[in-house]
Each structure stands twice: as C-alpha cells, then as structure tokens.
Amino acid sequence: MGLRDLLKKKERLGEGDAAYSETLNKLAGPEFTFIRSDTNTHEIIYPPSHPRNDRYLSAREPGSTPSKSRRSLDVFRPRSRGNSLLSASGDSDGDTNGGGATKKDHRRLSHRLGLSRHPKTSEYVPEDLPQINVTSTADGPTTTETKEAREAQEQQWEKRATILATTNEERQRSRSRSASVTPSISYTNLSGLNNGNGDIDTSSLKALGGVVSSKEIDQDIQEAIRLHEEGDLERSTQLFGRLADPYGANNPLSQVLYGLALRHGWGCEPDVERAVTYLSAAASNAASVETLALKAGVKKGGAAKGELVLAIFELANCFRHGWGIAKDPVAAKQYYETAANLGDTDAMNEAAWCYLEGFGCKKDKFQAARYYRLAETNGSKTLGNTWIWKEKYNPK
C-alpha cells in the first residue's frame, strides 16, 4: 500500500495467510485412527493390520507414549476436534492424587476437548479491557435510535483503543527503560487540558507535547510523501524522522510513517524494534488527543482518530508476525478487532481471519462472516468468500 493510499485510509477513518504445510506424500495411502469413547474417557484402538501389534482390539496402555497427530488425519476430520482429541488423550502433567490416578481423569469434558472457558491472556491486553457487544447494533434500517446506538458503540471502541495504546506504551517502557522515544504527555494530567467549556485546550496540549499538527507540519509531510513516491527514500525517511522526533514536532502521523520506514527499510537500515517504539509513541500520542475528545463529548472522534487507528492496526501486524516484538496472537486479535470497529477495512479482514483460524481466540465462523461482510460492505472484497452470505451466518 502506497503512502497516499495510507493517508486516504486515515482520512476516511477520521471522517467517520498463513501458508499451508507441504502436500501429502502421494505414494502414501490414507491412514485412520479409531477412537472408542464414552462420556468419561476415550481410547485409541488398533485394527488387525497395524504393524508390530497383535493387541489390535485393545486400548493403548496407560504408560505408553502418545503418537503425534498425522497430517493425513486432517483430511478426514475437522481440525478443531481432531487435534484436541489426540492431545487430550496424550497430555499429562505427571501429577497424581492420593489414589494414584492422574488429575486429567477428573477434568471436565470441556477441558478434555480443549474448550476451556479461560482464554489465553496477553500482557499487552489488560484484564479489565471493556467487552463490547458487537452484534447489538446489527445492520438494518437506520433509525434515530440505531444511529445513536452506533455512535455510542463507536465511542466505546475508541475508548478501548486508547486503553490498548496506554497499556502498550507502559509495557514498552518496562521492556526498555532506555528507549529514546517516549510520549511527552502524562495521562495523569489529561484532566487539566480541558478549558472548562467542554473543548480541548490546544494551547495547553502544545505546551505539554506539541502533538497537535500545524500547517507547516502538514506541508512537510506532503513533501516527504512526494519524495517517497519519486524514489528518494532516504531523504523522505529523514524528513519523517525529523517530524516524528518526540522532542520536536512529535507528530503522530509522522511517527506511524517513520515506524513503517524503519520496519521495512525504506531509505534506511531496517530496525524493527525501533519501529515498534515509534508506532507505540504514535498510538500513545494520538490516544491522548482522543481521550480529551471523548471527555469533551465529541461523537465522531478527535483530530487524531485516524492516526490512532493506523497505529493500532500496524501494532497488530507487529504482534501477529513478531516484527520487533514477540509474537502475541491474543494482542494481535484484540488490536485488529478494535481497529476494525473503528472503520479500518484492512483490520476487518484480519479480524475475520483471526476468528476463522482461531488465531488468538476460539474459532467462530459467525464472527468471521460478520467481519468479512463488514469489509466487503466497505469496499474490500475477498474472492472466494461467498460462504459468508449464507443465511445461517445472518445476525440473530
């Protein structure tokens, strides 16, 4: 995506795969695993043709080592159940109770099938992160009530984005105390940036960090984009870096673009860790502006909503691919979903993929269809996704 396309996406926001494994061995015949189960246990039994085993109708001995799941099995049974059954039959932590039985014998069926109610967590996602009912304002005839409900829900998602940005910045600080880029606005002082009339006091905001853009900064950004499109990547990146300086212009959009330049090596040596630092600074700076806008009752978001959503989406990419930070599927999914509900069409497709593949969450084709539909409605259609329009995936 070119820089101008990125800016167009930001303006729209402001206004309103994994690769497959190697193919199966063509010479190998199909293989099956037979499982005998009841409400409490399940056992693997072997047919007469199983090599080196004349106990073909007997279950595997308790002390035997479980066999690894075979790739060919995925062809004949659903992935979500096949792997979990094998893992449930083989997993053991070695702990026993007083009677000598392992703890797994007393686990609930949902635990044995890998359906634990306790999802995985992430240090970049606070435990008290607000949970928003995404189906409460389903598509339908627009009325005054539904319009107000959607605006209120968008405000909730924007608040959620500011919480994620704040948490991420705190983790970045603890991860590297010597980071050269840190937000220059303290969240404890946000209450003092309101002028008492419900409006943002931009003079106070500039005094604390200067994250508000100006005509000169906007002209410099356009010049940097022009240089980038003409192929002068080195000068373009240098200009973005000057505008992103937290002790200088401290411009959130420039911090996003400079972070992308560092991540992909546009006119400079790639430095994915510094890229995460600048993207985090952009998210934090934009979040400070949006926090004030929310406090002032601005319904459509503040002046930095586009920058906040772009930064959240790019941080999600970092968490997903492990660019400059450890891979974190839970954080990636939460960041994608937050950006998706704030209007980013790329994030809509990525959130749908997370639900479809169970990346950072439980598999949920209903939610996957919802986000794919949302992306297609907003002009980002994915070929081969006709299944999302089946009646069974309609909002309930």
Side-chain angles (χ1 to χ4, degrees), residues 36-57:
R36 178 172 58 199
S37 64
D38 55 25
T39 57
N40 297 315
T41 62
H42 67 273
E43 304 167 322
I44 297 178
I45 59 177
Y46 303 97
S49 59
H50 193 278
R52 296 191 299 275
N53 193 340
D54 55 356
R55 297 175 66 253
Y56 56 88
L57 292 180

Side-chain angles (χ1 to χ4, degrees), residues 27-96:
L27 298 179
E31 299 176 10
F32 300 85
T33 295
F34 298 90
I35 299 177
R36 178 172 58 199
S37 64
D38 55 25
T39 57
N40 297 315
T41 62
H42 67 273
E43 304 167 322
I44 297 178
I45 59 177
Y46 303 97
S49 59
H50 193 278
R52 296 191 299 275
N53 193 340
D54 55 356
R55 297 175 66 253
Y56 56 88
L57 292 180
S58 301
R60 188 184 60 211
E61 296 182 1
S64 62
T65 303
S67 59
K68 295 183 179 179
S69 99
R70 306 282 303 246
R71 173 60 60 183
S72 58
L73 298 180
D74 292 344
V75 179
F76 302 103
R77 67 185 180 208
R79 290 184 178 181
S80 59
R81 293 303 178 99
N83 291 337
S84 61
L85 284 173
L86 288 176
S87 61
S89 66
D91 290 346
S92 175
D93 54 10
D95 296 334
T96 58

Side-chain angles (χ1 to χ4, degrees), residues 294-316:
L294 290 172
K295 289 185 176 182
V298 179
K299 293 184 178 181
K300 292 295 183 179
K305 178 183 176 182
E307 287 86 343
L308 175 61
V309 179
L310 287 178
I312 290 292
F313 173 72
E314 293 301 340
L315 284 171

Side-chain angles (χ1 to χ4, degrees), residues 91-111:
D91 290 346
S92 175
D93 54 10
D95 296 334
T96 58
N97 56 19
T102 60
K103 287 184 178 180
K104 72 170 185 176
D105 295 333
H106 302 283
R107 290 185 300 176
R108 296 178 58 178
L109 182 61
S110 61
H111 292 173

Side-chain angles (χ1 to χ4, degrees), residues 3-253:
L3 293 184
R4 290 199 180 276
D5 294 332
L6 194 67
L7 289 177
K8 288 180 181 179
K9 183 170 78 169
K10 182 194 79 69
E11 291 174 359
R12 291 197 303 269
L13 293 169
E15 293 175 358
D17 295 15
Y20 288 99
S21 303
E22 295 181 358
T23 56
L24 298 175
N25 188 338
K26 294 183 179 179
L27 298 179
E31 299 176 10
F32 300 85
T33 295
F34 298 90
I35 299 177
R36 178 172 58 199
S37 64
D38 55 25
T39 57
N40 297 315
T41 62
H42 67 273
E43 304 167 322
I44 297 178
I45 59 177
Y46 303 97
S49 59
H50 193 278
R52 296 191 299 275
N53 193 340
D54 55 356
R55 297 175 66 253
Y56 56 88
L57 292 180
S58 301
R60 188 184 60 211
E61 296 182 1
S64 62
T65 303
S67 59
K68 295 183 179 179
S69 99
R70 306 282 303 246
R71 173 60 60 183
S72 58
L73 298 180
D74 292 344
V75 179
F76 302 103
R77 67 185 180 208
R79 290 184 178 181
S80 59
R81 293 303 178 99
N83 291 337
S84 61
L85 284 173
L86 288 176
S87 61
S89 66
D91 290 346
S92 175
D93 54 10
D95 296 334
T96 58
N97 56 19
T102 60
K103 287 184 178 180
K104 72 170 185 176
D105 295 333
H106 302 283
R107 290 185 300 176
R108 296 178 58 178
L109 182 61
S110 61
H111 292 173
R112 296 174 62 82
L113 296 178
L115 302 177
S116 174
R117 293 183 179 181
H118 304 287
K120 296 180 180 179
T121 59
S122 166
E123 63 174 327
Y124 294 93
V125 180
E127 295 181 359
D128 58 347
L129 187 69
Q131 299 301 315
I132 303 171
N133 184 7
V134 295
T135 60
S136 61
T137 57
D139 294 336
T142 302
T143 64
T144 303
E145 292 183 357
T146 58
K147 183 178 179 180
E148 292 178 353
R150 289 171 185 172
E151 289 178 351
Q153 189 178 83
E154 185 170 351
Q155 285 184 317
Q156 291 179 319
W157 282 107
E158 193 166 357
K159 181 178 179 181
R160 198 173 193 262
T162 62
I163 294 174
L164 288 174
T166 306
T167 303
N168 174 70
E169 182 60 30
E170 291 173 353
R171 296 296 180 269
Q172 294 297 330
R173 286 181 178 180
S174 61
R175 192 171 66 117
S176 178
R177 295 292 181 181
S178 60
S180 59
V181 177
T182 55
S184 52
I185 293 183
S186 171
Y187 282 81
T188 59
N189 295 327
L190 288 176
S191 58
L193 297 179
N194 197 296
N195 61 13
N197 297 321
D199 299 322
I200 300 173
D201 187 351
T202 57
S203 61
S204 299
L205 190 58
K206 290 180 180 178
L208 282 177
V211 297
V212 176
S213 185
S214 65
K215 183 177 180 180
E216 291 76 13
I217 291 177
D218 291 340
Q219 290 175 346
D220 287 341
I221 291 176
Q222 292 300 322
E223 175 64 14
I225 293 173
R226 185 188 65 80
L227 292 171
H228 180 92
E229 292 179 338
E230 291 181 354
D232 195 346
L233 301 183
E234 186 173 353
R235 289 177 59 196
S236 172
T237 299
Q238 289 176 354
L239 186 51
F240 279 137
R242 179 171 64 81
L243 297 172
D245 184 2
Y247 305 107
N250 198 28
N251 179 260
L253 177 58

Side-chain angles (χ1 to χ4, degrees), residues 310-335:
L310 287 178
I312 290 292
F313 173 72
E314 293 301 340
L315 284 171
N317 286 331
C318 293
F319 285 123
R320 174 181 174 181
H321 299 288
W323 291 336
I325 199 169
K327 286 186 178 181
D328 193 330
V330 174
K333 180 263 178 185
Q334 293 289 352
Y335 279 57

